[in-house]
Amino acid sequence: KNQVEQSPQSLIILEGKNCTLQCNYTVSPFSNLRWYKQDTGRGPVSLTIMTFSENTKSNGRYTATLDADTKQSSLHITASQLSDSASYICVVRGSGNTPLVFGKGTRLSVIA
Amino acid sequence: DAGVIQSPRHEVTEMGQEVTLRCKPISGHNSLFWYRQTMMRGLELLIYFNNNVPIDDSGMPEDRFSAKMPNASFSTLKIQPSEPRDSAVYFCASSRGQPEGAFFGQGTRLTVV
């Protein structure tokens, strides 16, 4: 069964600290994996997309990694800011007729 | 560009009533998607259109749900009759092709009482 599991479900960190969010998937065959940030009351916004051949990709303070062998991805946030408080959703796209599979997200709260 | 525009932002309706959600995609995008988001199930793809044609509606929960895209700049998602379990945030998204690259609207929060 195609699934995407994210951990932790929620996370609270102090402003300025780093954190890492995890995404494990069983989607096969694999095409790409994308991380979205969703602020409260708004639609998701794409942060980064990872294809099979990519191991690391950065977008400012956000760095995503992908291990296609173990089917794991992580999103690392450096020097967190209050504005990083949001839900982070991992989405995996399969090849061919394999559907788009969404994780349930990690709710991150950055506090002063 | 104003992005994907959804209306209304909030809708409260009584069980059994018809609900129509509206979406204007980003100009030039040829794919449009309707999603539903709940705390329990997260984001779910309901249906997507390519060049105004429904391509995959396997995510539509039941016959009470229907979606149309009469032209490239407008789509509707209709629920008739609505039920309390339909309460969720409904997102419309558009893209040039693949769903994972979609730009999302701000959503319609539907409450069915």
Side-chain angles (χ1 to χ4, degrees), chain B residues 99-113:
Chain B
E100 72 278 7
F103 292 80
F104 284 74
Q106 295 204 42
T108 295
R109 180 173 292 278
L110 173 65
T111 303
V112 183
V113 297

Side-chain angles (χ1 to χ4, degrees), chain A residues 34 36 38 93 102 104, chain B residues 35 37 40 91 98 100:
Chain A
R34 190 181 286 262
Y36 283 92
Q38 184 177 19
R93 178 171 179 79
F102 291 81
K104 292 186 177 180
Chain B
Y35 293 90
Q37 187 176 40
M40 289 295 294
F91 287 102
Q98 299 304 320
E100 72 278 7

Side-chain angles (χ1 to χ4, degrees), chain A residues 57-73:
Chain A
K57 185 174 283 188
S58 293
N59 178 2
R61 294 180 296 102
Y62 300 101
T63 299
T65 66
L66 175 66
D67 185 334
D69 292 330
T70 62
K71 295 183 169 55
Q72 295 179 327
S73 177

Side-chain angles (χ1 to χ4, degrees), chain A residues 2-71:
Chain A
N2 292 313
Q3 288 184 315
V4 174
E5 300 287 341
Q6 291 188 243
S7 63
Q9 189 174 18
S10 61
L11 181 63
I12 302 173
I13 61 173
L14 291 174
E15 185 179 15
K17 298 296 185 182
N18 304 334
C19 67
T20 300
L21 314 180
Q22 299 289 344
C23 174
N24 297 339
Y25 61 93
T26 59
V27 178
S28 182
F30 171 85
S31 178
N32 60 57
L33 181 149
R34 190 181 286 262
W35 284 93
Y36 283 92
K37 178 187 179 188
Q38 184 177 19
D39 292 316
T40 301
R42 304 186 71 89
V45 175
S46 177
L47 291 175
T48 184
I49 182 170
M50 308 284 289
T51 58
F52 186 86
S53 59
E54 295 175 306
N55 300 119
T56 303
K57 185 174 283 188
S58 293
N59 178 2
R61 294 180 296 102
Y62 300 101
T63 299
T65 66
L66 175 66
D67 185 334
D69 292 330
T70 62
K71 295 183 169 55

Side-chain angles (χ1 to χ4, degrees), chain B residues 6 51 61 63 81 87:
Chain B
Q6 291 186 245
N51 294 323
D63 291 345
S87 298

